[in-house]
Amino acid sequence: MIIDAHTHLFSPNVITQRAQYAERDTFFGYLYASPKARTIGVVELLTAMDASGVDRAVVAGWAWQNHDVCVEQNTWLIEIARQHRARLSVLCTVQPNAGDAAIRELRRCVESGLVGVGELNADGQGFRLDDAAFLQLARAASEMGVPLMLHTNEPVGHLYPGKGRLSLAEIYAFVRQVPDLHLVLAHWGGGYPFYELMPEVRAASQNVFYDTAASPLLYAPDVFRVVVNLVGADKVLFGSDYPLILYPRRQKEPDMRPFLDEVRAVGLSDEEQRKILGENAARVFGL
Ligand SMILES: [Zn+2]
């Protein structure tokens, strides 16, 4: 069973009224003002999954700044999850700064069948990991038994739109505050896995997982072997960041296949591949 644990979907409203949403939400506007940034609907996602042999996708919407937009999009995501139970597992988005309203929204979504919350973005949505409201939300997710997927990025290297300032120190402090939360750090945790070599960090991070979203744009393929050596094959979830174009030099349209081919060619054992390509996501997201 192949699971892509990190994809993004947009409602027909967002796709057809992109300019209005870009105006309402500065973070979305910043990243999606250019028509080159793809927004896709359910049909395109399912078609891409069929073409690449992906059985199931974990779907995130977008990290909206505005609570009301989160709620509106979640209502659509709930509908999508109901219609495509067999193929899609859907996360809700909340604005942690909305406080109790965000927690109520998370509960509504989980009770309606969504499997977690994310991809949240501290820089994009304007919160800090040590904010009381975010900690309260994270504890609520932990109590509801659902994982939280958080955008992270590497603190060094080339700049790109959406690269934020969230630090590894902040992430570690957060992890220690909510050790029971199942936390998926997107984009290889921005380098956090290296510090799992420190016994105290490893002990505190038992419920921290890493997804591989956008990896070909960031790291050499060796990253798979290296991170598995650092944290073990049970903590890595294959995720593409679809519909992001991962190989811009040779790829014009979104396609899940080239990255899957890369993962199968990096020298992982069959067991490691099974875990990374599906079993870990099934466990973490309770699929
Ligand atoms: Zn991300």
Side-chain angles (χ1 to χ4, degrees):
M1 165 113 133
I2 308 282
I3 301 175
D4 186 333
H6 189 135
T7 67
H8 291 281
L9 262 192
F10 291 92
S11 74
N13 279 353
V14 176
I15 294 173
T16 56
Q17 300 162 49
R18 184 160 156 157
Q20 284 96 308
Y21 280 90
E23 215 165 277
R24 262 173 102 182
D25 191 293
T26 52
F27 181 49
F28 178 73
Y30 169 56
L31 282 161
Y32 283 87
S34 159
K36 272 193 191 159
R38 307 299 177 113
T39 52
I40 56 149
V42 179
V43 174
E44 287 108 312
L45 177 62
L46 292 171
T47 305
M49 290 164 65
D50 289 341
S52 53
V54 171
D55 300 293
R56 179 173 286 278
V58 176
V59 168
W62 179 252
W64 302 101
Q65 294 169 328
N66 181 301
H67 171 72
D68 294 332
V69 178
C70 289
V71 172
E72 172 205 295
Q73 293 297 305
N74 288 337
T75 297
W76 174 76
L77 287 165
I78 289 167
E79 202 44 54
I80 290 303
R82 286 195 178 128
Q83 285 167 17
H84 302 280
R85 234 182 271 274
R87 304 294 302 280
L88 305 181
S89 300
V90 181
L91 309 177
C92 66
T93 310
V94 297
Q95 165 54 278
N97 295 338
D100 290 345
I103 293 172
R104 279 198 301 276
E105 177 62 4
L106 173 61
R107 181 161 290 115
R108 174 180 84 100
C109 292
V110 170
E111 286 173 354
S112 305
L114 302 198
V115 300
V117 54
E119 177 185 18
L120 300 189
N121 191 310
D123 290 292
Q125 293 181 293
F127 64 87
R128 290 178 50 99
L129 301 194
D130 58 0
D131 285 347
F134 182 65
L135 286 168
Q136 216 182 348
L137 176 81
R139 290 199 180 99
S142 176
E143 279 159 24
M144 291 177 215
V146 293
L148 187 153
M149 189 214 285
L150 183 70
H151 172 87
T152 59
N153 51 235
E154 48 311 318
V156 297
H158 67 282
L159 286 175
Y160 47 83
K163 185 157 176 165
R165 293 166 184 275
L166 178 64
S167 74
L168 297 176
E170 272 179 85
I171 297 168
Y172 178 52
F174 171 67
V175 166
R176 293 178 69 197
Q177 290 282 322
V178 276
D180 295 331
L181 174 71
H182 286 87
L183 178 66
V184 180
L185 299 177
H187 317 290
W188 295 111
Y192 191 96
F194 178 75
Y195 296 96
E196 283 214 28
L197 289 174
M198 301 175 77
E200 70 275 31
V201 178
R202 170 155 305 198
S205 308
Q206 292 194 16
N207 291 317
V208 176
F209 302 86
Y210 307 94
D211 83 31
T212 69
S215 188
L217 292 170
L218 303 170
Y219 294 94
D222 294 347
V223 67
F224 280 85
R225 185 72 265 157
V226 170
V227 175
V228 168
N229 288 349
L230 287 169
V231 303
D234 292 326
K235 297 189 102 188
V236 177
L237 280 57
F238 169 74
S240 64
D241 222 354
Y242 193 87
L244 196 65
I245 304 276
L246 298 180
Y247 302 89
R249 287 202 194 129
R250 56 188 168 96
Q251 197 184 357
K252 289 284 161 276
E253 294 298 319
D255 185 350
M256 288 174 167
R257 278 168 294 194
F259 188 28
L260 272 171
D261 292 343
E262 177 180 312
V263 178
R264 290 182 173 122
V266 293
L268 299 168
S269 72
D270 288 349
E271 190 191 353
E272 288 166 339
Q273 279 193 46
R274 271 203 315 278
K275 288 178 172 178
I276 292 168
L277 289 175
E279 287 176 11
N280 295 341
R283 198 176 71 248
V284 171
F285 290 101
L287 312 180

PDB file of all heavy atoms in Angstrom, residues 6 119 151 186-187 241, ligand 1:
ATOM      1  N   HIS A   6       1.604  13.741   2.162  1.00  0.00           N
ATOM      2  CA  HIS A   6       1.633  15.216   2.160  1.00  0.00           C
ATOM      3  C   HIS A   6       1.231  15.733   0.783  1.00  0.00           C
ATOM      4  O   HIS A   6       2.058  15.807  -0.125  1.00  0.00           O
ATOM      5  CB  HIS A   6       3.039  15.700   2.537  1.00  0.00           C
ATOM      6  CG  HIS A   6       3.145  17.179   2.777  1.00  0.00           C
ATOM      7  ND1 HIS A   6       3.824  17.722   3.845  1.00  0.00           N
ATOM      8  CD2 HIS A   6       2.666  18.241   2.080  1.00  0.00           C
ATOM      9  CE1 HIS A   6       3.769  19.039   3.795  1.00  0.00           C
ATOM     10  NE2 HIS A   6       3.068  19.389   2.721  1.00  0.00           N
ATOM     11  N   GLU A 119      -1.435  21.243   7.148  1.00  0.00           N
ATOM     12  CA  GLU A 119      -0.108  21.641   7.526  1.00  0.00           C
ATOM     13  C   GLU A 119      -0.183  23.052   8.117  1.00  0.00           C
ATOM     14  O   GLU A 119      -0.525  23.995   7.391  1.00  0.00           O
ATOM     15  CB  GLU A 119       0.800  21.619   6.276  1.00  0.00           C
ATOM     16  CG  GLU A 119       2.219  22.088   6.502  1.00  0.00           C
ATOM     17  CD  GLU A 119       3.011  22.137   5.182  1.00  0.00           C
ATOM     18  OE1 GLU A 119       2.407  22.146   4.088  1.00  0.00           O
ATOM     19  OE2 GLU A 119       4.236  22.193   5.260  1.00  0.00           O
ATOM     20  N   HIS A 151       4.657  22.764   9.241  1.00  0.00           N
ATOM     21  CA  HIS A 151       5.673  23.124   8.246  1.00  0.00           C
ATOM     22  C   HIS A 151       6.967  23.484   8.970  1.00  0.00           C
ATOM     23  O   HIS A 151       6.967  24.274   9.905  1.00  0.00           O
ATOM     24  CB  HIS A 151       5.205  24.321   7.410  1.00  0.00           C
ATOM     25  CG  HIS A 151       6.278  24.840   6.504  1.00  0.00           C
ATOM     26  ND1 HIS A 151       6.485  24.333   5.248  1.00  0.00           N
ATOM     27  CD2 HIS A 151       7.230  25.779   6.702  1.00  0.00           C
ATOM     28  CE1 HIS A 151       7.512  24.955   4.696  1.00  0.00           C
ATOM     29  NE2 HIS A 151       7.985  25.837   5.559  1.00  0.00           N
ATOM     30  N   ALA A 186       7.134  18.525   8.679  1.00  0.00           N
ATOM     31  CA  ALA A 186       7.211  18.416   7.221  1.00  0.00           C
ATOM     32  C   ALA A 186       8.621  18.753   6.737  1.00  0.00           C
ATOM     33  O   ALA A 186       9.413  19.386   7.463  1.00  0.00           O
ATOM     34  CB  ALA A 186       6.183  19.344   6.582  1.00  0.00           C
ATOM     35  N   HIS A 187       8.897  18.329   5.523  1.00  0.00           N
ATOM     36  CA  HIS A 187      10.172  18.677   4.861  1.00  0.00           C
ATOM     37  C   HIS A 187      11.386  18.258   5.702  1.00  0.00           C
ATOM     38  O   HIS A 187      12.298  19.051   5.929  1.00  0.00           O
ATOM     39  CB  HIS A 187      10.214  20.185   4.551  1.00  0.00           C
ATOM     40  CG  HIS A 187       8.921  20.725   3.997  1.00  0.00           C
ATOM     41  ND1 HIS A 187       8.468  20.420   2.731  1.00  0.00           N
ATOM     42  CD2 HIS A 187       7.967  21.526   4.546  1.00  0.00           C
ATOM     43  CE1 HIS A 187       7.311  21.020   2.525  1.00  0.00           C
ATOM     44  NE2 HIS A 187       6.972  21.688   3.611  1.00  0.00           N
ATOM     45  N   ASP A 241       4.283  16.680  -1.397  1.00  0.00           N
ATOM     46  CA  ASP A 241       3.893  18.097  -1.529  1.00  0.00           C
ATOM     47  C   ASP A 241       3.174  18.339  -2.857  1.00  0.00           C
ATOM     48  O   ASP A 241       3.122  19.473  -3.338  1.00  0.00           O
ATOM     49  CB  ASP A 241       5.088  19.056  -1.414  1.00  0.00           C
ATOM     50  CG  ASP A 241       4.764  20.294  -0.563  1.00  0.00           C
ATOM     51  OD1 ASP A 241       3.589  20.455  -0.174  1.00  0.00           O
ATOM     52  OD2 ASP A 241       5.675  21.083  -0.300  1.00  0.00           O
TER      53      ASP A 241
HETATM   54 ZN    ZN B   1       5.293  22.876   3.909  1.00  0.00          ZN
END
